[in-house]
Amino acid sequence: MDARTSKQFEFIELVLAYEGLLTNQRLRETFGISSVQSSRIIAAYRNTYPRNTSPVKGEGRGRYMPTSRFSPAIATLSIDRYFRAVANTSINIEMEEVRQDFTHVDPGYFRILHAAVTVNGAVQITYRSMNNPEGTERVVHPRAFVFAGRRWHLRAFDEVTEEHRDFNLARIYAAEPVEKTTPTPLDFDWDEYVNLQLRPHPSLNSAQEKLIRDELFSGAAGRQVTTRRALVRYVLRDLEVAENPDTQQPPEYQLYLLRIEEHSEKASLG
């Protein structure tokens, strides 16, 4: 299955799961295709996963609902994935997102950084920080882009500190490609994944704890979040997880970090 078909099938499953009705028109408008193409995509999905859909009777052709045996084969069901999938489609419900991107990035500088990520190159940047608000020059080896909180960051090896660091893209005030004169060391914190074992904050009473378990853990005792080791602090900050539950108290912190584990397929909530 190619990437385009997978994306179309994922959309079909998200709409079936969260709206309960898939139409030829909905698929056509979402992907900018003809009615015939839309019918072929739906037919291909139904042939591939025949147990997942059934026609809606008495309401014309091209309308399908999930069966009682519906089980998504492509999509990972989450309300966030659903909202992102339908964000730019014509649906008759209002949706708003309060997340704000405060990162103002010069497109010309970004193109240089993007190219360096693509070819594993080096870039000389002028970077401003709270310690050096006027900016300092340094050569970095860009690796990846990361959105954390309200900012976009560049993950890169810094030749000045000889460390892999995260650079706020909005604080890069100059960028120029340069020849790489030193090899890029391995970024173990980026390449390594860890499991964060999260639990309701121990200061919550029993009723509050049950509320958090039902709301965030689907009733389970806790939840495991897997992320790159380099991104742990961003995840904890975004989820408002207490690392020290004695000093970080509710209501600001309703979760706490029980432990960090090495990532493995056998890791559990134990």
Side-chain angles (χ1 to χ4, degrees):
M1 183 183 300
D2 59 33
R4 183 179 181 182
T5 301
S6 179
K7 183 177 181 180
Q8 292 165 341
F9 282 11
E10 179 187 36
F11 180 82
I12 287 173
E13 291 182 343
L14 289 170
V15 169
L16 286 170
Y18 288 101
E19 297 182 14
L21 177 67
L22 174 71
T23 66
N24 180 296
Q25 179 181 356
R26 186 69 184 284
L27 203 64
R28 185 174 72 245
E29 292 177 348
T30 298
F31 293 99
I33 56 180
S34 69
S35 179
V36 172
Q37 290 174 310
S38 179
S39 295
R40 288 174 178 170
I41 293 169
I42 294 175
Y45 179 83
R46 298 193 69 213
N47 288 334
T48 306
Y49 309 107
R51 300 174 57 180
N52 278 355
T53 63
S54 62
V56 177
K57 297 180 180 179
E59 297 188 22
R61 301 178 60 184
R63 299 168 65 86
Y64 302 90
M65 60 186 294
T67 67
S68 59
R69 297 180 296 178
F70 171 77
S71 178
I74 303 297
T76 299
L77 296 188
S78 79
I79 196 66
D80 183 66
R81 285 180 180 268
Y82 163 73
F83 278 129
R84 291 183 184 278
V86 303
N88 297 316
T89 65
S90 56
I91 56 176
N92 295 320
I93 61 172
E94 291 190 64
M95 294 184 297
E96 292 289 345
E97 183 175 353
V98 299
R99 185 183 73 169
Q100 300 294 322
D101 177 10
F102 276 45
T103 309
H104 174 71
V105 182
D106 183 285
Y109 297 158
F110 183 82
R111 287 196 297 270
I112 293 171
L113 298 170
H114 183 276
V117 171
T118 304
V119 301
N120 192 26
V123 179
Q124 179 173 294
I125 64 173
T126 299
Y127 188 73
R128 299 171 66 185
S129 66
M130 296 302 290
N131 291 330
N132 295 285
E134 299 302 319
T136 58
E137 289 189 352
R138 58 188 68 213
V139 174
V140 298
H141 305 180
R143 169 71 182 270
F145 299 103
V146 177
F147 185 79
R150 63 181 186 272
R151 299 185 180 95
W152 278 97
H153 298 260
L154 173 72
R155 181 72 176 180
F157 174 71
D158 177 18
E159 290 189 5
V160 173
T161 61
E162 297 185 336
E163 296 176 344
H164 294 274
R165 291 192 166 188
D166 300 331
F167 296 92
N168 183 341
L169 282 179
R171 293 182 177 180
I172 296 176
Y173 278 77
E176 180 180 353
V178 295
E179 182 180 354
K180 182 187 286 189
T181 58
T182 60
T184 306
L186 293 176
D187 187 352
F188 294 105
D189 284 349
W190 181 264
D191 294 330
E192 181 183 1
Y193 284 83
V194 295
N195 299 322
L196 310 180
Q197 298 295 348
L198 308 183
R199 298 292 187 274
H201 198 287
S203 295
L204 299 175
N205 62 40
S206 58
Q208 292 170 331
E209 178 183 340
K210 186 178 186 305
L211 170 63
I212 294 301
R213 289 173 57 186
D214 290 342
E215 176 190 2
L216 302 179
F217 304 153
S218 299
R223 181 167 179 173
Q224 174 178 292
V225 174
T226 301
T227 187
R228 297 179 188 272
R229 185 178 290 278
L231 304 181
V232 167
R233 62 192 176 107
Y234 297 128
V235 174
L236 296 180
R237 185 185 306 164
D238 185 57
L239 297 177
E240 297 180 322
V241 176
E243 295 182 74
N244 186 342
D246 292 331
T247 59
Q248 296 172 306
Q249 289 283 315
E252 288 79 9
Y253 297 90
Q254 298 175 2
L255 303 176
Y256 89 100
L257 178 64
L258 178 66
R259 60 179 176 269
I260 299 178
E261 300 174 341
E262 299 299 320
H263 178 62
S264 70
E265 295 299 326
K266 297 181 180 180
S268 66
L269 284 175

